[in-house]
Amino acid sequence: MISTKKDLINWLDEAVKEEAKFIGVLIRMPGFQNDELIINTHENIAKKIAYYYNTYDDNLQHRYSPGVSIVGVTYGNSLSAIEGELFGYPSSLQISVDLTGTEVFEQVLNILHHSFLKNDEQTQNFIYAQLRDVIGRTHDMRQFERG
């Protein structure tokens, strides 16, 4: 994890060099039960670097909103990769785009298996989203094949 503005800027610079499609920044705010996840596309990273540099101090505390701080950052080429990295989901839950019927079934079993390993509401919501994603892509693929 990051603890200084220098760490944050280094992560974001690395995202630019790697041509990551997305960056994810976790913001902690008083009065909220969970951290806020902000996602930005590659095209916006340069402006976001300037914004974070000017708006947060060296310890990642918001200069103008007491109690607001950056507590995590990552980058990746899919939203589920960012979610997995910041919320600690196993990378094996990342699902490929080109699934056959057998692979869909195997992925669903894998997702269900992981749901038993970490049984909390946040993980369950992630598991359901992954299943909807697999089923949705399978349905879209079948529509495309019929088309």
Side-chain angles (χ1 to χ4, degrees):
M1 276 301 183
I2 60 170
S3 58
T4 67
K5 184 170 22 179
K6 182 179 178 182
D7 295 338
L8 173 68
I9 300 303
N10 287 340
W11 268 95
L12 296 176
D13 285 342
E14 191 173 317
V16 171
K17 288 176 193 165
E18 295 288 326
E19 297 182 7
K21 289 183 182 179
F22 305 103
I23 60 166
V25 178
L26 273 182
I27 307 291
R28 184 160 294 154
M29 297 179 289
F32 289 86
Q33 184 176 354
N34 295 313
D35 296 333
E36 177 180 81
L37 173 58
I38 297 174
I39 301 287
N40 282 280
T41 61
H42 178 79
E43 296 79 13
N44 294 336
I45 295 174
K47 285 186 178 181
K48 277 302 192 175
I49 290 172
Y51 169 78
Y52 291 132
Y53 188 83
N54 292 320
T55 306
Y56 288 83
D57 68 17
D58 290 337
N59 296 314
L60 301 176
Q61 301 296 312
H62 198 287
R63 294 181 191 273
Y64 312 109
S65 298
V68 175
S69 62
I70 295 175
V71 295
V73 65
T74 195
Y75 61 87
N77 291 319
S78 73
L79 298 178
S80 60
I82 288 176
E83 185 179 33
E85 186 72 27
L86 289 174
F87 294 111
Y89 300 120
S91 60
S92 60
L93 289 179
Q94 307 310 317
I95 298 172
S96 65
V97 176
D98 54 346
L99 298 175
T100 66
T102 303
E103 290 170 324
V104 169
F105 181 72
E106 289 172 357
Q107 287 290 337
V108 169
L109 288 179
N110 186 37
I111 291 167
L112 291 172
H113 169 74
H114 284 288
S115 70
F116 292 107
L117 296 179
K118 187 175 178 188
N119 193 18
D120 59 54
E121 186 176 349
Q122 190 174 14
T123 301
Q124 289 171 357
N125 289 338
F126 176 75
I127 299 297
Y128 294 140
Q130 291 290 306
L131 288 172
R132 282 192 304 273
D133 187 43
V134 168
I135 292 166
R137 276 189 274 158
T138 304
H139 176 73
D140 291 344
M141 287 170 52
R142 288 186 185 139
Q143 292 292 340
F144 179 75
E145 289 169 0
R146 282 187 224 158

